[in-house]
Amino acid sequence: MTLENLSYNTDFLKRFTMMLTEDQQAKLFAKRIIVFGVGGVGGALVNMLVRSGIHHIGIVDFDVIDITNINRQLIATESTVGMKKTEASEKRLFEINPRIKLNKYDLFYLPETADKINLSEYDYIVDAIDNVTAKLELIVRAKEQNIKIISSMGTGNKIHPEM
């Protein structure tokens, strides 16, 4: 896949793609990535993935935006308080690129809900969740299916994240 045969306007990518060969662009734009947790880390990441030309994205989150999220989450604003994080993320991502292919999962990922997501559809999994049980389940399933996983070790609700 190259800039010429993408199904959307690529003008916003021109400065970014000047750094990549056509082969590198093709490899990058063909990737399918799912992000678990679209709060602080995951929310910033999905924004940058779309801004980098990735257009097959999955997002997973069960949470609702709270007023206390505004200081650290891109999707959190006065107008999004009370919205599901996946809904606010979807709105923002489609404002960046209205032609992305987005799979949205409004669920709390745990062993008992894990089968609701077909991980084999993705090349990469990003774990930006705070729940250790969910992290472990996701890592086990990624390894079983030979899917690359990147884990962010959350600092949510931590006063001393260095600990």
Side-chain angles (χ1 to χ4, degrees), residues 9-25:
N9 182 341
T10 59
D11 289 342
F12 76 96
L13 292 171
K14 284 186 179 176
R15 291 190 68 179
F16 174 71
T17 56
M18 290 182 340
M19 300 181 295
L20 304 174
T21 66
E22 194 165 308
D23 185 51
Q24 290 169 328
Q25 291 172 35

Side-chain angles (χ1 to χ4, degrees), residues 138-157:
L138 196 52
I139 292 166
V140 166
R141 287 181 180 247
K143 290 187 80 54
E144 287 173 353
Q145 297 181 51
N146 200 30
I147 303 169
K148 295 174 180 93
I149 183 166
I150 302 161
S151 283
S152 167
M153 299 301 137
T155 58
N157 299 317

Side-chain angles (χ1 to χ4, degrees), residues 63-79:
D63 209 358
V64 172
I65 297 170
D66 183 76
I67 191 96
T68 62
N69 299 139
I70 292 176
N71 73 323
R72 66 189 187 284
Q73 296 181 10
L74 288 176
I75 57 169
T77 64
E78 290 280 339
S79 66

